[in-house]
């Protein structure tokens, strides 16, 4: 049967033949299976993009901040807001 199976290119289903194919497959997978490390690489840091200051850009950013955070309009006039802007500049 084994000789016939080999000559006929028939995959034997006898328990020993199945066990050998499984063992061979495990060995082959162990030798060729890789992890992600070979595929991962560090990305170069993105260049920092600083927007040039303009009064118009500041007003747009402040308006967006007021709306997004549900702040009262008076928040822009508060001394602590002015201090924060002064420190950031």
């Amino acid at each position: 049967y084994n000789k016939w199976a080999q000559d006929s290119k028939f995959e034997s289903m006898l328990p020993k033949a199945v066990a050998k194919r499984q063992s061979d497959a495990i060995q082959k997978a162990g030798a060729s299976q890789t992890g992600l490390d070979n595929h991962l690489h560090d990305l170069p840091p993105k260049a920092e993009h600083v927007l040039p200051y303009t009064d118009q850009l500041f007003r747009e950013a402040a308006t967006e901040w007021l709306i997004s955070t549900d702040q009262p309009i008076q928040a822009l006039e508060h001394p602590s807001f002015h201090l924060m802007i002064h420190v950031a500049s």
Side-chain angles (χ1 to χ4, degrees), residues 45-64:
K46 290 185 178 181
E48 185 177 343
H49 179 69
V50 179
L51 296 174
Y53 176 84
T54 63
D55 286 339
Q56 179 64 30
L57 184 59
F58 177 77
R59 284 193 181 105
E60 288 174 10
T63 302
E64 179 65 30

Side-chain angles (χ1 to χ4, degrees), residues 19-33:
K20 179 155 178 28
R21 278 197 309 274
Q22 288 175 345
S23 174
D24 291 347
I26 290 171
Q27 285 179 340
K28 184 179 177 183
S32 65
Q33 186 172 357

